[in-house]
Amino acid sequence: MITVQNLQKSYNSQLILRNLSFQVKTGEFIAIMGPSGSGKTTLLNTMSTLDTFNAGKVLIDGSDITVMKQAERRLLRRDKIAFIFQHYNLLDTFTVKENIYLPFTLAGKVTPELDERFQKLAEKLKIAPLIDKFPAELSGGEKQRIAATRAFLGNPKVLFADEPTGALDTRSATAMLEILAELNQVMGTTLLMVTHDGRAASFANRVIFMVDGVIVNEFYRGDKQQSDFFDEIAEVSHRLGAIESAGIS
Ligand SMILES: Nc1ncnc2c1ncn2[C@@H]1O[C@H](COP(=O)(O)OP(=O)(O)OP(=O)(O)O)[C@@H](O)[C@H]1O
């Protein structure tokens, strides 16, 4: 359902993504790992229409985002894609509930069904006591749960998450990962998650490792126990860390 073909992206004439290709099937949960600066966020941003790229192709649900007009990309983001960023992207002058509802208010899509879905998610993500507060009154973990509620509320087909557990303590991180896994399994949402954390990655079905703008390794969880998958991820991360510090890529 997502095809990335020979993707190239440069910043200031430095090539960050080097002819990168891979495919994502509908309903997959993929973790993208790799050393700092390897291009993980750049990959997520370019393949999700948030940033442009220099060459290559990205097809989402059969539509080539390269040839889409700005308005078509906006509709794709509104109707099919959601994002969770490490830095929440909440607006300070709006309450929690206003922040969560903002995309739906702007699109004129606030319905009783949406309210019902919101109530259920608010209960699940334990944000009900927070909904009339302002972002400045919340902890990092609370802000992240608000950002997640906003992302889940639209029932997206694809969710792009950049370090969604980066600012969370262990307990909140586990809760977030369990909700992401549930969204993936129950709603069939396709998930792409950038993470440094092997434990977070062990919730995925497939882990892709990037070094210096290319995919150097990928493997599937299959029917392995999560703890065995975690060991495998830790071993590959360790090996790639050693490769990086030896300056080989
Ligand atoms: N807007 C930008 N302008 C210039 N260079 C950029 C920009 N964004 C990223 N880069 C550079 O591109 C490279 C890849 O950055 P990217 O954020 O994709 O890496 P990453 O693997 O996500 O890193 P980290 O794990 O540290 O978040 C880095 O060298 C970074 O400095």
Side-chain angles (χ1 to χ4, degrees), residues 80-135:
K80 294 190 180 168
I81 295 177
F83 301 91
I84 304 179
F85 303 98
Q86 190 177 352
H87 298 296
Y88 330 116
N89 287 18
L90 300 175
L91 299 173
D92 290 338
T93 52
F94 289 89
T95 65
V96 161
K97 188 165 179 190
E98 286 165 348
N99 261 288
I100 293 170
Y101 268 62
L102 192 61
F104 306 93
T105 310
L106 291 176
K109 286 190 162 181
V110 177
T111 59
E113 291 76 33
L114 188 81
D115 289 333
E116 202 178 308
R117 233 178 110 64
F118 171 69
Q119 294 303 338
K120 282 193 188 145
L121 277 170
E123 202 176 305
K124 190 159 241 169
L125 283 148
K126 301 191 174 57
I127 61 153
L130 308 175
I131 61 174
D132 294 321
K133 293 193 173 186
F134 288 90

Side-chain angles (χ1 to χ4, degrees), residues 7-11 14-18 20 32 37-54 162 194 210 213:
L7 194 63
Q8 281 189 26
K9 168 76 179 173
S10 318
Y11 285 121
Q14 192 196 350
L15 201 55
I16 305 296
L17 301 179
R18 303 162 182 265
L20 195 149
I32 302 170
S38 56
K40 304 180 295 295
T41 294
T42 306
L43 172 63
L44 206 73
N45 288 349
T46 47
M47 69 183 285
S48 64
T49 77
L50 290 183
D51 201 354
T52 57
F53 43 89
N54 303 82
D162 196 350
V194 166
M210 286 180 72

